[in-house]
Amino acid sequence: MASSHEHTVKAFDQDIGQLRALISQMGGLAEQAIEDAMLALQRGDTALANEVRQKDKQIDAIEAELEKLVVRVIALRAPMADDLREIIAALKIAAVIERIGDYAKNIAKRVPMIHGEAGEERIDVVSILPAMGQLAADMVHDVLDAYSARDAQAAVRICARDNALDDFYDSIFRTLVTYMVENSRTISQVAHLLFVAKNLERIGDHATNVAEMVYFAATGDYMAERETGEAQAN
Amino acid sequence: MASSHEHTVKAFDQDIGQLRALISQMGGLAEQAIEDAMLALQRGDTALANEVRQKDKQIDAIEAELEKLVVRVIALRAPMADDLREIIAALKIAAVIERIGDYAKNIAKRVPMIHGEAGEERIDVVSILPAMGQLAADMVHDVLDAYSARDAQAAVRICARDNALDDFYDSIFRTLVTYMVENSRTISQVAHLLFVAKNLERIGDHATNVAEMVYFAATGDYMAERETGEAQAN
């Protein structure tokens, strides 16, 4: 009897391991997507932007695979309490990463609209965005590390960084609006940049959501209340 | 034995009924939030806008309740196959409605930034948005009806309407950019309107996602492939 129980436990651990591996794979792709989308934006590289859009399908496919695995694990192992919570957490984290991938794809989609036709005026203000992109990509990277290590303290530090990202966004919003006022011919392109900045800010919010789930999974407590990170200027 | 089985089935049906009731309650709140946020925007009514922001907590609370119920139902009833898929679908639909609520809250948050201090220039261009808001709120309303009725054909019709919403968005995007070019003093306010329009467009996308889940739950098939509705101009 004990050995059969052990057998079940081991199989379940393997299932959980597989869920975590899928999440880590999704997370790696999402982080890469943010970096590539920002590189494409900086360089006006529409081929790279298209690649980001195509690769988003991989993230979606892994999420679908994870969902099927969750259903299978629940049906086969009928997990209780903590185990079930871990599985539901994996499902939720996967959904958040899928959204992060969508934001990166959305940035990529704007590259041709921001850079316009050859010969059109180039907008130098693009240069203020990559640092914000790096901050967002780093948050995604680090929250996945925190998830793998079940590190509650690392999760807390990630939430603190979201405030910096929000401030960054507010400052970029003001800069872009000022730029629009002074360069009315480029308003349409700069409007797309506003959305890019907003997408990066949302990526930070989602990394924060994952951090809160990691904290809960690791400690069983909710992280101390904080104003859920949305930038002032939005 | 048969009577014990029937008893379990009945209890499970009650659980499912409770899940559906929670979703319907969330959906009603989300629909109301969109309508109130748009009314607040139209009238510059910051008190109503604050109310929308406050009430969003109710939607979040119902989602948390639903999640707990899902965990309890799975742990108690160990549902298989179709039943499990229905429960996972409820979890996913609730998450989408929670996001729709967030978009409405986000619109409400922009009301003071769009209307500015008393005496500031009023921007008449606000008037082009309510019709788009109504279209989005109607989609949310109708997709919840389709969910209650498990009506696959209604779900298909909702997806078709998302294309109209996307066209609406593209047209509003161009109008707002033109307005910015001609009224550079109001660029900051109009930039917030761009985000409002984008939020409405995203609400339509999410209603469409729910419609796809309803279709799948009702038919067991995926809806015929369509370019997942995002507006051209984004």
Side-chain angles (χ1 to χ4, degrees), chain A residues 23 89-90 92-98 100 139-140 142-148 151 155-156 158-159 203-217 223:
Chain A
I23 284 182
K92 290 180 71 175
I93 291 174
V96 176
I97 298 175
E98 190 269 333
I100 291 176
M139 281 178 73
V140 172
D142 293 350
V143 82
L144 286 158
D145 278 357
Y147 174 68
S148 297
D151 184 340
V156 171
I158 286 155
C159 292
I203 288 172
D205 286 348
H206 285 94
T208 303
N209 289 347
V210 175
E212 287 167 349
M213 294 178 209
V214 168
Y215 186 92
F216 181 73
M223 207 182 279

PDB file of all heavy atoms in Angstrom, chain A residues 23 89-90 92-98 100 139-140 142-148 151 155-156 158-159 203-217 223:
ATOM      1  N   ILE A  23       5.933  26.062 -18.104  1.00  0.00           N
ATOM      2  CA  ILE A  23       5.866  27.476 -17.749  1.00  0.00           C
ATOM      3  C   ILE A  23       7.199  28.158 -17.985  1.00  0.00           C
ATOM      4  O   ILE A  23       7.283  29.277 -18.509  1.00  0.00           O
ATOM      5  CB  ILE A  23       5.414  27.627 -16.280  1.00  0.00           C
ATOM      6  CG1 ILE A  23       3.914  27.354 -16.214  1.00  0.00           C
ATOM      7  CG2 ILE A  23       5.763  29.002 -15.717  1.00  0.00           C
ATOM      8  CD1 ILE A  23       3.299  27.506 -14.867  1.00  0.00           C
ATOM      9  N   ALA A  89      -2.519  27.295  -9.749  1.00  0.00           N
ATOM     10  CA  ALA A  89      -1.566  28.411  -9.869  1.00  0.00           C
ATOM     11  C   ALA A  89      -0.807  28.317 -11.188  1.00  0.00           C
ATOM     12  O   ALA A  89      -0.613  29.326 -11.878  1.00  0.00           O
ATOM     13  CB  ALA A  89      -0.598  28.419  -8.692  1.00  0.00           C
ATOM     14  N   ALA A  90      -0.403  27.112 -11.566  1.00  0.00           N
ATOM     15  CA  ALA A  90       0.329  26.931 -12.828  1.00  0.00           C
ATOM     16  C   ALA A  90      -0.544  27.366 -14.006  1.00  0.00           C
ATOM     17  O   ALA A  90      -0.085  28.042 -14.937  1.00  0.00           O
ATOM     18  CB  ALA A  90       0.760  25.477 -12.994  1.00  0.00           C
ATOM     19  N   LYS A  92      -2.945  29.551 -13.943  1.00  0.00           N
ATOM     20  CA  LYS A  92      -3.098  31.005 -13.935  1.00  0.00           C
ATOM     21  C   LYS A  92      -1.818  31.696 -14.394  1.00  0.00           C
ATOM     22  O   LYS A  92      -1.862  32.676 -15.139  1.00  0.00           O
ATOM     23  CB  LYS A  92      -3.470  31.485 -12.525  1.00  0.00           C
ATOM     24  CG  LYS A  92      -4.871  31.078 -12.135  1.00  0.00           C
ATOM     25  CD  LYS A  92      -5.232  31.557 -10.746  1.00  0.00           C
ATOM     26  CE  LYS A  92      -5.425  33.062 -10.721  1.00  0.00           C
ATOM     27  NZ  LYS A  92      -5.903  33.530  -9.403  1.00  0.00           N
ATOM     28  N   ILE A  93      -0.683  31.188 -13.954  1.00  0.00           N
ATOM     29  CA  ILE A  93       0.586  31.803 -14.352  1.00  0.00           C
ATOM     30  C   ILE A  93       0.769  31.664 -15.866  1.00  0.00           C
ATOM     31  O   ILE A  93       1.185  32.599 -16.545  1.00  0.00           O
ATOM     32  CB  ILE A  93       1.765  31.189 -13.564  1.00  0.00           C
ATOM     33  CG1 ILE A  93       1.672  31.622 -12.092  1.00  0.00           C
ATOM     34  CG2 ILE A  93       3.107  31.599 -14.167  1.00  0.00           C
ATOM     35  CD1 ILE A  93       2.690  30.974 -11.166  1.00  0.00           C
ATOM     36  N   ALA A  94       0.424  30.496 -16.395  1.00  0.00           N
ATOM     37  CA  ALA A  94       0.535  30.296 -17.844  1.00  0.00           C
ATOM     38  C   ALA A  94      -0.325  31.309 -18.591  1.00  0.00           C
ATOM     39  O   ALA A  94       0.093  31.866 -19.613  1.00  0.00           O
ATOM     40  CB  ALA A  94       0.134  28.872 -18.216  1.00  0.00           C
ATOM     41  N   ALA A  95      -1.533  31.561 -18.078  1.00  0.00           N
ATOM     42  CA  ALA A  95      -2.424  32.519 -18.742  1.00  0.00           C
ATOM     43  C   ALA A  95      -1.809  33.917 -18.726  1.00  0.00           C
ATOM     44  O   ALA A  95      -1.911  34.667 -19.706  1.00  0.00           O
ATOM     45  CB  ALA A  95      -3.789  32.523 -18.060  1.00  0.00           C
ATOM     46  N   VAL A  96      -1.152  34.278 -17.634  1.00  0.00           N
ATOM     47  CA  VAL A  96      -0.524  35.599 -17.550  1.00  0.00           C
ATOM     48  C   VAL A  96       0.651  35.691 -18.534  1.00  0.00           C
ATOM     49  O   VAL A  96       0.823  36.697 -19.226  1.00  0.00           O
ATOM     50  CB  VAL A  96      -0.057  35.906 -16.107  1.00  0.00           C
ATOM     51  CG1 VAL A  96       0.684  37.228 -16.063  1.00  0.00           C
ATOM     52  CG2 VAL A  96      -1.233  35.934 -15.149  1.00  0.00           C
ATOM     53  N   ILE A  97       1.446  34.632 -18.614  1.00  0.00           N
ATOM     54  CA  ILE A  97       2.583  34.667 -19.547  1.00  0.00           C
ATOM     55  C   ILE A  97       2.090  34.761 -20.992  1.00  0.00           C
ATOM     56  O   ILE A  97       2.672  35.456 -21.818  1.00  0.00           O
ATOM     57  CB  ILE A  97       3.486  33.426 -19.363  1.00  0.00           C
ATOM     58  CG1 ILE A  97       4.066  33.431 -17.942  1.00  0.00           C
ATOM     59  CG2 ILE A  97       4.622  33.425 -20.379  1.00  0.00           C
ATOM     60  CD1 ILE A  97       4.874  32.193 -17.615  1.00  0.00           C
ATOM     61  N   GLU A  98       0.996  34.089 -21.253  1.00  0.00           N
ATOM     62  CA  GLU A  98       0.421  34.171 -22.602  1.00  0.00           C
ATOM     63  C   GLU A  98       0.067  35.631 -22.926  1.00  0.00           C
ATOM     64  O   GLU A  98       0.306  36.112 -24.031  1.00  0.00           O
ATOM     65  CB  GLU A  98      -0.818  33.261 -22.684  1.00  0.00           C
ATOM     66  CG  GLU A  98      -1.363  33.074 -24.081  1.00  0.00           C
ATOM     67  CD  GLU A  98      -2.415  34.103 -24.441  1.00  0.00           C
ATOM     68  OE1 GLU A  98      -3.094  34.613 -23.526  1.00  0.00           O
ATOM     69  OE2 GLU A  98      -2.539  34.433 -25.630  1.00  0.00           O
ATOM     70  N   ILE A 100       1.503  38.269 -21.601  1.00  0.00           N
ATOM     71  CA  ILE A 100       2.768  39.001 -21.774  1.00  0.00           C
ATOM     72  C   ILE A 100       3.255  38.820 -23.214  1.00  0.00           C
ATOM     73  O   ILE A 100       3.682  39.768 -23.872  1.00  0.00           O
ATOM     74  CB  ILE A 100       3.828  38.530 -20.744  1.00  0.00           C
ATOM     75  CG1 ILE A 100       3.411  38.989 -19.333  1.00  0.00           C
ATOM     76  CG2 ILE A 100       5.218  39.044 -21.107  1.00  0.00           C
ATOM     77  CD1 ILE A 100       4.317  38.514 -18.202  1.00  0.00           C
ATOM     78  N   MET A 139      12.097  42.061 -15.499  1.00  0.00           N
ATOM     79  CA  MET A 139      11.090  41.668 -14.505  1.00  0.00           C
ATOM     80  C   MET A 139      10.510  40.302 -14.841  1.00  0.00           C
ATOM     81  O   MET A 139      10.314  39.455 -13.966  1.00  0.00           O
ATOM     82  CB  MET A 139       9.967  42.700 -14.429  1.00  0.00           C
ATOM     83  CG  MET A 139      10.329  43.938 -13.625  1.00  0.00           C
ATOM     84  SD  MET A 139       8.980  45.164 -13.630  1.00  0.00           S
ATOM     85  CE  MET A 139       7.776  44.363 -12.541  1.00  0.00           C
ATOM     86  N   VAL A 140      10.237  40.079 -16.130  1.00  0.00           N
ATOM     87  CA  VAL A 140       9.690  38.791 -16.557  1.00  0.00           C
ATOM     88  C   VAL A 140      10.712  37.682 -16.287  1.00  0.00           C
ATOM     89  O   VAL A 140      10.381  36.624 -15.741  1.00  0.00           O
ATOM     90  CB  VAL A 140       9.302  38.826 -18.056  1.00  0.00           C
ATOM     91  CG1 VAL A 140       8.913  37.440 -18.555  1.00  0.00           C
ATOM     92  CG2 VAL A 140       8.150  39.808 -18.275  1.00  0.00           C
ATOM     93  N   ASP A 142      13.149  37.642 -14.090  1.00  0.00           N
ATOM     94  CA  ASP A 142      13.391  37.414 -12.657  1.00  0.00           C
ATOM     95  C   ASP A 142      12.198  36.770 -11.960  1.00  0.00           C
ATOM     96  O   ASP A 142      12.373  36.003 -11.009  1.00  0.00           O
ATOM     97  CB  ASP A 142      13.769  38.731 -11.973  1.00  0.00           C
ATOM     98  CG  ASP A 142      15.129  39.229 -12.466  1.00  0.00           C
ATOM     99  OD1 ASP A 142      15.814  38.462 -13.171  1.00  0.00           O
ATOM    100  OD2 ASP A 142      15.487  40.381 -12.172  1.00  0.00           O
ATOM    101  N   VAL A 143      10.986  37.070 -12.424  1.00  0.00           N
ATOM    102  CA  VAL A 143       9.835  36.469 -11.767  1.00  0.00           C
ATOM    103  C   VAL A 143       9.768  34.977 -12.095  1.00  0.00           C
ATOM    104  O   VAL A 143       9.320  34.167 -11.271  1.00  0.00           O
ATOM    105  CB  VAL A 143       8.519  37.206 -12.118  1.00  0.00           C
ATOM    106  CG1 VAL A 143       7.953  36.770 -13.459  1.00  0.00           C
ATOM    107  CG2 VAL A 143       7.487  36.963 -11.020  1.00  0.00           C
ATOM    108  N   LEU A 144      10.279  34.601 -13.268  1.00  0.00           N
ATOM    109  CA  LEU A 144      10.308  33.179 -13.604  1.00  0.00           C
ATOM    110  C   LEU A 144      11.364  32.457 -12.788  1.00  0.00           C
ATOM    111  O   LEU A 144      11.160  31.319 -12.359  1.00  0.00           O
ATOM    112  CB  LEU A 144      10.509  32.997 -15.103  1.00  0.00           C
ATOM    113  CG  LEU A 144       9.222  33.354 -15.849  1.00  0.00           C
ATOM    114  CD1 LEU A 144       9.509  33.705 -17.296  1.00  0.00           C
ATOM    115  CD2 LEU A 144       8.219  32.209 -15.758  1.00  0.00           C
ATOM    116  N   ASP A 145      12.485  33.146 -12.542  1.00  0.00           N
ATOM    117  CA  ASP A 145      13.488  32.587 -11.628  1.00  0.00           C
ATOM    118  C   ASP A 145      12.888  32.405 -10.232  1.00  0.00           C
ATOM    119  O   ASP A 145      13.088  31.376  -9.592  1.00  0.00           O
ATOM    120  CB  ASP A 145      14.700  33.527 -11.525  1.00  0.00           C
ATOM    121  CG  ASP A 145      15.662  33.334 -12.692  1.00  0.00           C
ATOM    122  OD1 ASP A 145      15.405  32.435 -13.528  1.00  0.00           O
ATOM    123  OD2 ASP A 145      16.645  34.082 -12.781  1.00  0.00           O
ATOM    124  N   ALA A 146      12.159  33.406  -9.780  1.00  0.00           N
ATOM    125  CA  ALA A 146      11.535  33.333  -8.448  1.00  0.00           C
ATOM    126  C   ALA A 146      10.549  32.168  -8.391  1.00  0.00           C
ATOM    127  O   ALA A 146      10.452  31.462  -7.386  1.00  0.00           O
ATOM    128  CB  ALA A 146      10.829  34.647  -8.112  1.00  0.00           C
ATOM    129  N   TYR A 147       9.822  31.970  -9.495  1.00  0.00           N
ATOM    130  CA  TYR A 147       8.874  30.850  -9.565  1.00  0.00           C
ATOM    131  C   TYR A 147       9.614  29.517  -9.465  1.00  0.00           C
ATOM    132  O   TYR A 147       9.231  28.641  -8.675  1.00  0.00           O
ATOM    133  CB  TYR A 147       8.063  30.940 -10.852  1.00  0.00           C
ATOM    134  CG  TYR A 147       7.141  29.766 -11.103  1.00  0.00           C
ATOM    135  CD1 TYR A 147       6.025  29.542 -10.295  1.00  0.00           C
ATOM    136  CD2 TYR A 147       7.376  28.870 -12.149  1.00  0.00           C
ATOM    137  CE1 TYR A 147       5.177  28.465 -10.519  1.00  0.00           C
ATOM    138  CE2 TYR A 147       6.535  27.800 -12.381  1.00  0.00           C
ATOM    139  CZ  TYR A 147       5.442  27.593 -11.564  1.00  0.00           C
ATOM    140  OH  TYR A 147       4.601  26.529 -11.795  1.00  0.00           O
ATOM    141  N   SER A 148      10.687  29.366 -10.261  1.00  0.00           N
ATOM    142  CA  SER A 148      11.458  28.111 -10.233  1.00  0.00           C
ATOM    143  C   SER A 148      12.020  27.845  -8.846  1.00  0.00           C
ATOM    144  O   SER A 148      12.026  26.713  -8.375  1.00  0.00           O
ATOM    145  CB  SER A 148      12.634  28.177 -11.213  1.00  0.00           C
ATOM    146  OG  SER A 148      12.158  28.324 -12.514  1.00  0.00           O
ATOM    147  N   ASP A 151      10.896  31.432  -4.487  1.00  0.00           N
ATOM    148  CA  ASP A 151      11.595  32.402  -3.643  1.00  0.00           C
ATOM    149  C   ASP A 151      10.674  33.591  -3.364  1.00  0.00           C
ATOM    150  O   ASP A 151      10.531  34.500  -4.183  1.00  0.00           O
ATOM    151  CB  ASP A 151      12.878  32.842  -4.382  1.00  0.00           C
ATOM    152  CG  ASP A 151      13.732  33.786  -3.561  1.00  0.00           C
ATOM    153  OD1 ASP A 151      13.209  34.407  -2.601  1.00  0.00           O
ATOM    154  OD2 ASP A 151      14.926  33.904  -3.887  1.00  0.00           O
ATOM    155  N   ALA A 155      10.239  37.508  -5.041  1.00  0.00           N
ATOM    156  CA  ALA A 155       8.941  37.962  -5.545  1.00  0.00           C
ATOM    157  C   ALA A 155       8.597  39.349  -5.015  1.00  0.00           C
ATOM    158  O   ALA A 155       8.110  40.210  -5.752  1.00  0.00           O
ATOM    159  CB  ALA A 155       7.852  36.954  -5.166  1.00  0.00           C
ATOM    160  N   VAL A 156       8.882  39.583  -3.751  1.00  0.00           N
ATOM    161  CA  VAL A 156       8.620  40.906  -3.160  1.00  0.00           C
ATOM    162  C   VAL A 156       9.447  41.983  -3.872  1.00  0.00           C
ATOM    163  O   VAL A 156       8.944  43.064  -4.186  1.00  0.00           O
ATOM    164  CB  VAL A 156       8.943  40.902  -1.645  1.00  0.00           C
ATOM    165  CG1 VAL A 156       8.879  42.313  -1.072  1.00  0.00           C
ATOM    166  CG2 VAL A 156       7.982  39.984  -0.904  1.00  0.00           C
ATOM    167  N   ILE A 158      10.507  42.020  -6.888  1.00  0.00           N
ATOM    168  CA  ILE A 158       9.986  42.289  -8.235  1.00  0.00           C
ATOM    169  C   ILE A 158       8.822  43.270  -8.175  1.00  0.00           C
ATOM    170  O   ILE A 158       8.718  44.189  -8.993  1.00  0.00           O
ATOM    171  CB  ILE A 158       9.582  40.972  -8.924  1.00  0.00           C
ATOM    172  CG1 ILE A 158      10.860  40.228  -9.340  1.00  0.00           C
ATOM    173  CG2 ILE A 158       8.714  41.229 -10.151  1.00  0.00           C
ATOM    174  CD1 ILE A 158      10.687  38.742  -9.466  1.00  0.00           C
ATOM    175  N   CYS A 159       7.954  43.109  -7.196  1.00  0.00           N
ATOM    176  CA  CYS A 159       6.824  44.025  -7.058  1.00  0.00           C
ATOM    177  C   CYS A 159       7.305  45.453  -6.827  1.00  0.00           C
ATOM    178  O   CYS A 159       6.729  46.409  -7.342  1.00  0.00           O
ATOM    179  CB  CYS A 159       5.914  43.587  -5.918  1.00  0.00           C
ATOM    180  SG  CYS A 159       5.079  42.046  -6.309  1.00  0.00           S
ATOM    181  N   ILE A 203       3.113  44.857 -19.133  1.00  0.00           N
ATOM    182  CA  ILE A 203       3.965  43.674 -18.928  1.00  0.00           C
ATOM    183  C   ILE A 203       4.490  43.669 -17.491  1.00  0.00           C
ATOM    184  O   ILE A 203       4.488  42.637 -16.819  1.00  0.00           O
ATOM    185  CB  ILE A 203       5.127  43.648 -19.956  1.00  0.00           C
ATOM    186  CG1 ILE A 203       4.580  43.293 -21.347  1.00  0.00           C
ATOM    187  CG2 ILE A 203       6.212  42.660 -19.543  1.00  0.00           C
ATOM    188  CD1 ILE A 203       5.597  43.415 -22.490  1.00  0.00           C
ATOM    189  N   GLY A 204       4.895  44.836 -17.023  1.00  0.00           N
ATOM    190  CA  GLY A 204       5.351  44.945 -15.629  1.00  0.00           C
ATOM    191  C   GLY A 204       4.250  44.571 -14.647  1.00  0.00           C
ATOM    192  O   GLY A 204       4.488  43.859 -13.665  1.00  0.00           O
ATOM    193  N   ASP A 205       3.028  45.030 -14.923  1.00  0.00           N
ATOM    194  CA  ASP A 205       1.894  44.679 -14.050  1.00  0.00           C
ATOM    195  C   ASP A 205       1.698  43.173 -14.004  1.00  0.00           C
ATOM    196  O   ASP A 205       1.398  42.598 -12.954  1.00  0.00           O
ATOM    197  CB  ASP A 205       0.586  45.302 -14.576  1.00  0.00           C
ATOM    198  CG  ASP A 205       0.535  46.789 -14.326  1.00  0.00           C
ATOM    199  OD1 ASP A 205       1.370  47.304 -13.561  1.00  0.00           O
ATOM    200  OD2 ASP A 205      -0.345  47.446 -14.907  1.00  0.00           O
ATOM    201  N   HIS A 206       1.850  42.543 -15.163  1.00  0.00           N
ATOM    202  CA  HIS A 206       1.628  41.104 -15.216  1.00  0.00           C
ATOM    203  C   HIS A 206       2.750  40.331 -14.532  1.00  0.00           C
ATOM    204  O   HIS A 206       2.500  39.326 -13.869  1.00  0.00           O
ATOM    205  CB  HIS A 206       1.423  40.656 -16.659  1.00  0.00           C
ATOM    206  CG  HIS A 206       0.075  41.041 -17.154  1.00  0.00           C
ATOM    207  ND1 HIS A 206      -0.164  42.199 -17.840  1.00  0.00           N
ATOM    208  CD2 HIS A 206      -1.124  40.465 -16.987  1.00  0.00           C
ATOM    209  CE1 HIS A 206      -1.457  42.289 -18.101  1.00  0.00           C
ATOM    210  NE2 HIS A 206      -2.062  41.249 -17.597  1.00  0.00           N
ATOM    211  N   ALA A 207       3.977  40.820 -14.681  1.00  0.00           N
ATOM    212  CA  ALA A 207       5.084  40.187 -13.952  1.00  0.00           C
ATOM    213  C   ALA A 207       4.809  40.298 -12.452  1.00  0.00           C
ATOM    214  O   ALA A 207       5.060  39.358 -11.684  1.00  0.00           O
ATOM    215  CB  ALA A 207       6.411  40.852 -14.328  1.00  0.00           C
ATOM    216  N   THR A 208       4.261  41.428 -12.052  1.00  0.00           N
ATOM    217  CA  THR A 208       3.907  41.632 -10.641  1.00  0.00           C
ATOM    218  C   THR A 208       2.817  40.658 -10.197  1.00  0.00           C
ATOM    219  O   THR A 208       2.884  40.106  -9.095  1.00  0.00           O
ATOM    220  CB  THR A 208       3.435  43.090 -10.449  1.00  0.00           C
ATOM    221  OG1 THR A 208       4.489  43.949 -10.881  1.00  0.00           O
ATOM    222  CG2 THR A 208       3.121  43.389  -9.003  1.00  0.00           C
ATOM    223  N   ASN A 209       1.824  40.457 -11.053  1.00  0.00           N
ATOM    224  CA  ASN A 209       0.780  39.475 -10.722  1.00  0.00           C
ATOM    225  C   ASN A 209       1.381  38.096 -10.493  1.00  0.00           C
ATOM    226  O   ASN A 209       1.008  37.397  -9.549  1.00  0.00           O
ATOM    227  CB  ASN A 209      -0.250  39.340 -11.863  1.00  0.00           C
ATOM    228  CG  ASN A 209      -1.133  40.557 -11.967  1.00  0.00           C
ATOM    229  OD1 ASN A 209      -1.149  41.395 -11.062  1.00  0.00           O
ATOM    230  ND2 ASN A 209      -1.862  40.674 -13.058  1.00  0.00           N
ATOM    231  N   VAL A 210       2.304  37.713 -11.379  1.00  0.00           N
ATOM    232  CA  VAL A 210       2.942  36.411 -11.216  1.00  0.00           C
ATOM    233  C   VAL A 210       3.714  36.389  -9.902  1.00  0.00           C
ATOM    234  O   VAL A 210       3.657  35.403  -9.146  1.00  0.00           O
ATOM    235  CB  VAL A 210       3.875  36.077 -12.401  1.00  0.00           C
ATOM    236  CG1 VAL A 210       4.628  34.773 -12.153  1.00  0.00           C
ATOM    237  CG2 VAL A 210       3.073  35.974 -13.697  1.00  0.00           C
ATOM    238  N   ALA A 211       4.409  37.478  -9.601  1.00  0.00           N
ATOM    239  CA  ALA A 211       5.187  37.544  -8.353  1.00  0.00           C
ATOM    240  C   ALA A 211       4.270  37.340  -7.150  1.00  0.00           C
ATOM    241  O   ALA A 211       4.626  36.631  -6.197  1.00  0.00           O
ATOM    242  CB  ALA A 211       5.920  38.884  -8.257  1.00  0.00           C
ATOM    243  N   GLU A 212       3.077  37.928  -7.201  1.00  0.00           N
ATOM    244  CA  GLU A 212       2.129  37.751  -6.095  1.00  0.00           C
ATOM    245  C   GLU A 212       1.701  36.289  -5.959  1.00  0.00           C
ATOM    246  O   GLU A 212       1.566  35.775  -4.857  1.00  0.00           O
ATOM    247  CB  GLU A 212       0.915  38.672  -6.287  1.00  0.00           C
ATOM    248  CG  GLU A 212       1.265  40.133  -6.017  1.00  0.00           C
ATOM    249  CD  GLU A 212       0.213  41.132  -6.486  1.00  0.00           C
ATOM    250  OE1 GLU A 212      -0.716  40.722  -7.223  1.00  0.00           O
ATOM    251  OE2 GLU A 212       0.327  42.311  -6.143  1.00  0.00           O
ATOM    252  N   MET A 213       1.520  35.616  -7.111  1.00  0.00           N
ATOM    253  CA  MET A 213       1.148  34.194  -7.071  1.00  0.00           C
ATOM    254  C   MET A 213       2.298  33.352  -6.519  1.00  0.00           C
ATOM    255  O   MET A 213       2.077  32.389  -5.783  1.00  0.00           O
ATOM    256  CB  MET A 213       0.773  33.694  -8.471  1.00  0.00           C
ATOM    257  CG  MET A 213      -0.489  34.344  -9.038  1.00  0.00           C
ATOM    258  SD  MET A 213      -0.817  33.721 -10.727  1.00  0.00           S
ATOM    259  CE  MET A 213      -1.670  35.113 -11.464  1.00  0.00           C
ATOM    260  N   VAL A 214       3.532  33.707  -6.920  1.00  0.00           N
ATOM    261  CA  VAL A 214       4.707  32.980  -6.425  1.00  0.00           C
ATOM    262  C   VAL A 214       4.803  33.140  -4.913  1.00  0.00           C
ATOM    263  O   VAL A 214       5.037  32.175  -4.183  1.00  0.00           O
ATOM    264  CB  VAL A 214       6.003  33.509  -7.099  1.00  0.00           C
ATOM    265  CG1 VAL A 214       7.250  32.974  -6.396  1.00  0.00           C
ATOM    266  CG2 VAL A 214       6.016  33.133  -8.581  1.00  0.00           C
ATOM    267  N   TYR A 215       4.574  34.357  -4.448  1.00  0.00           N
ATOM    268  CA  TYR A 215       4.637  34.630  -3.009  1.00  0.00           C
ATOM    269  C   TYR A 215       3.595  33.793  -2.272  1.00  0.00           C
ATOM    270  O   TYR A 215       3.891  33.136  -1.268  1.00  0.00           O
ATOM    271  CB  TYR A 215       4.389  36.119  -2.763  1.00  0.00           C
ATOM    272  CG  TYR A 215       4.563  36.530  -1.321  1.00  0.00           C
ATOM    273  CD1 TYR A 215       5.794  36.989  -0.856  1.00  0.00           C
ATOM    274  CD2 TYR A 215       3.502  36.469  -0.419  1.00  0.00           C
ATOM    275  CE1 TYR A 215       5.961  37.369   0.474  1.00  0.00           C
ATOM    276  CE2 TYR A 215       3.661  36.838   0.907  1.00  0.00           C
ATOM    277  CZ  TYR A 215       4.893  37.295   1.349  1.00  0.00           C
ATOM    278  OH  TYR A 215       5.055  37.663   2.654  1.00  0.00           O
ATOM    279  N   PHE A 216       2.395  33.792  -2.808  1.00  0.00           N
ATOM    280  CA  PHE A 216       1.313  33.029  -2.172  1.00  0.00           C
ATOM    281  C   PHE A 216       1.637  31.528  -2.154  1.00  0.00           C
ATOM    282  O   PHE A 216       1.465  30.852  -1.139  1.00  0.00           O
ATOM    283  CB  PHE A 216      -0.003  33.287  -2.901  1.00  0.00           C
ATOM    284  CG  PHE A 216      -1.171  32.555  -2.297  1.00  0.00           C
ATOM    285  CD1 PHE A 216      -1.714  32.969  -1.093  1.00  0.00           C
ATOM    286  CD2 PHE A 216      -1.712  31.436  -2.920  1.00  0.00           C
ATOM    287  CE1 PHE A 216      -2.787  32.286  -0.517  1.00  0.00           C
ATOM    288  CE2 PHE A 216      -2.777  30.750  -2.351  1.00  0.00           C
ATOM    289  CZ  PHE A 216      -3.312  31.175  -1.146  1.00  0.00           C
ATOM    290  N   ALA A 217       2.134  31.040  -3.292  1.00  0.00           N
ATOM    291  CA  ALA A 217       2.451  29.611  -3.372  1.00  0.00           C
ATOM    292  C   ALA A 217       3.560  29.240  -2.386  1.00  0.00           C
ATOM    293  O   ALA A 217       3.542  28.174  -1.786  1.00  0.00           O
ATOM    294  CB  ALA A 217       2.857  29.245  -4.800  1.00  0.00           C
ATOM    295  N   MET A 223       0.616  38.624  -0.306  1.00  0.00           N
ATOM    296  CA  MET A 223       1.602  39.682  -0.114  1.00  0.00           C
ATOM    297  C   MET A 223       0.894  40.903   0.471  1.00  0.00           C
ATOM    298  O   MET A 223      -0.268  41.137   0.157  1.00  0.00           O
ATOM    299  CB  MET A 223       2.228  40.035  -1.468  1.00  0.00           C
ATOM    300  CG  MET A 223       3.637  40.583  -1.382  1.00  0.00           C
ATOM    301  SD  MET A 223       4.249  41.025  -3.016  1.00  0.00           S
ATOM    302  CE  MET A 223       4.770  39.442  -3.654  1.00  0.00           C
TER     303      MET A 223
END
